[in-house]
Amino acid sequence: MSRGMNTMPTARRGRTYEQVGANDKRGINGICSVIFIIMLLVVPPIVLLSSERSRHTRYITLSDALNSDVIELNQKNIDERTLHAIPPGKLVHGTSTNIDTLASDPDMNIAIPGALTLQRNTQYCQWQEIQSQDCQTCKRTVEARDGSTKEETYQCNCITTYNYIKGWKNFQIN
């Protein structure tokens, strides 16, 4: 029996389009896109609401401060009796152009007029030792008192290497 041209089977496959999204069954791409969309929809309103809340709290605090009596402290009327006479919870404001303080470090024999604090940060330039050890694993047979033998492993032929790094440290290295 001969086949003609019309009896021959023909098949053709067209183009395939893939859309990556929430229904993607190939892995994490779909999950990541869903998480990203949720974050895009949820995070901005939360940030906006927290910003508005802090702005409102600041507004309430400043309006309460402006409506209350503010006690001014000037250099002319500051004395110990005035400071102790201020009731607790009152808003106090003061300015000064002259700070009459002296910060000193007696160990270093340093005194700085007009400074509020002096902090010393001591560092030592020293060598830090770094030790590393490389060992082989050896085996031996051990005989017990009852005559039984057991094979055990231990570290042998160890080589210890010392390296040194020079640097500044806040503490002394022994």
Side-chain angles (χ1 to χ4, degrees), residues 27 117 119:
T117 61
Q119 182 180 2

Side-chain angles (χ1 to χ4, degrees), residues 133-141 151-159:
Q133 193 173 39
D134 186 29
C135 297
Q136 295 177 350
T137 303
C138 297
K139 295 180 182 179
R140 66 179 167 204
T141 304
E151 189 173 284
E152 65 179 24
T153 59
Y154 63 97
Q155 293 183 346
C156 63
N157 300 330
C158 294
I159 298 173

Side-chain angles (χ1 to χ4, degrees), residues 10-128:
T10 58
R12 181 172 181 246
R13 189 168 194 184
R15 292 185 180 142
T16 304
Y17 295 97
E18 291 182 1
Q19 283 186 323
V20 178
N23 294 327
D24 184 20
K25 307 234 188 301
R26 289 185 302 163
I28 197 152
N29 289 338
I31 295 170
C32 287
S33 63
V34 169
I35 291 172
F36 178 73
I37 290 172
I38 290 172
M39 298 271 294
L40 194 62
L41 294 174
V42 172
V43 170
I46 291 173
V47 170
L48 182 66
L49 287 175
S50 67
S51 173
E52 283 297 315
R53 183 177 179 187
S54 66
R55 186 201 62 79
H56 180 70
T57 304
R58 190 178 313 119
Y59 172 76
I60 295 295
T61 305
L62 288 175
S63 65
D64 287 347
L66 290 176
N67 292 335
S68 68
D69 293 331
V70 178
I71 300 172
E72 282 285 333
L73 296 179
N74 296 324
Q75 284 199 336
K76 297 175 186 172
N77 63 356
I78 294 177
D79 61 355
E80 196 168 326
R81 197 170 12 156
T82 307
L83 292 175
H84 289 297
I86 298 173
K90 286 291 186 179
L91 186 61
V92 178
H93 178 263
T95 59
S96 177
T97 57
N98 183 17
I99 299 174
D100 190 21
T101 61
L102 179 68
S104 64
D105 186 356
D107 294 336
M108 297 297 288
N109 198 18
I110 296 174
I112 301 174
L116 297 177
T117 61
L118 181 63
Q119 182 180 2
R120 183 174 11 145
N121 184 12
T122 306
Q123 291 187 339
Y124 306 96
C125 182
Q126 53 193 336
W127 291 97
Q128 180 179 6

